[in-house]
Amino acid sequence: MDNLILDLLGESSVDRSSIELAAKNHRSQRHLIEGLANALKVAGVSISSVAEKMGESEHLVCQWLDGDRDLTLSQLRKFANSIDAFVDYRVTSLSESADRKFKTMTSSHASNNWVEWEPGPDHRPAEMIGGLG
């Protein structure tokens, strides 16, 4: 397992905590792809249909589902949209001090350099504009 993680990190020597974090991220990625595969089955949509909707080859879609090839975030979103699935993106800091700092920064964003983004009328979620017709 450590050699796989070292390959994923692209490094020859790293500390144990880096390996554990990389392993956790790899498991999370596999879990995400398994969820996508399950959503595909539940939707009853064929791989060829997904490939056609995305403008990609069936072979590439199979590689994504097998974990042989990584999807970009845009490809992941398009894949999910093609099977009427929702993907939840989250990032969590594992460092307690970073987590405390992040919470402080986000709760007091008005007093620092953080900019609060307000979506324009063309950036509203689908449920706000009547779904994805």
Side-chain angles (χ1 to χ4, degrees):
M1 174 65 126
D2 288 357
N3 288 336
L4 169 66
I5 302 306
L6 291 174
D7 287 343
L8 292 171
L9 289 171
E11 300 176 25
S12 58
S13 66
V14 291
D15 63 35
R16 188 81 195 153
S17 63
S18 295
I19 291 173
E20 290 169 0
L21 177 59
K24 186 174 184 175
N25 282 324
H26 185 260
R27 282 190 302 273
S28 181
Q29 180 180 343
R30 285 301 316 148
H31 181 74
L32 178 74
I33 296 302
E34 288 167 7
L36 197 60
N38 288 336
L40 177 70
K41 289 176 189 172
V42 168
V45 178
S46 68
I47 289 174
S48 61
S49 175
V50 169
E52 184 179 326
K53 287 179 183 179
M54 293 185 67
E56 303 288 356
S57 71
E58 289 182 42
H59 180 70
L60 180 58
V61 173
C62 288
Q63 286 181 311
W64 290 334
L65 292 171
D66 290 340
D68 295 335
R69 194 100 179 251
D70 290 341
L71 292 93
T72 65
L73 290 176
S74 296
Q75 290 167 326
L76 174 62
R77 185 185 66 250
K78 288 176 185 177
F79 194 125
N81 288 342
S82 75
I83 59 172
D84 292 328
F86 173 74
V87 178
D88 186 19
Y89 304 91
R90 290 183 289 160
V91 175
T92 305
S93 174
L94 297 182
S95 163
E96 288 183 30
S97 62
D99 191 43
R100 281 193 306 274
K101 184 176 180 180
F102 180 74
K103 286 179 183 174
T104 301
M105 291 171 73
T106 56
S107 66
S108 63
H109 69 277
S111 63
N112 60 36
N113 293 329
W114 285 87
V115 176
E116 188 170 330
W117 180 73
E118 290 291 332
D122 295 337
H123 294 94
R124 293 176 289 162
E127 62 269 13
M128 291 177 63
I129 56 175
L132 297 173

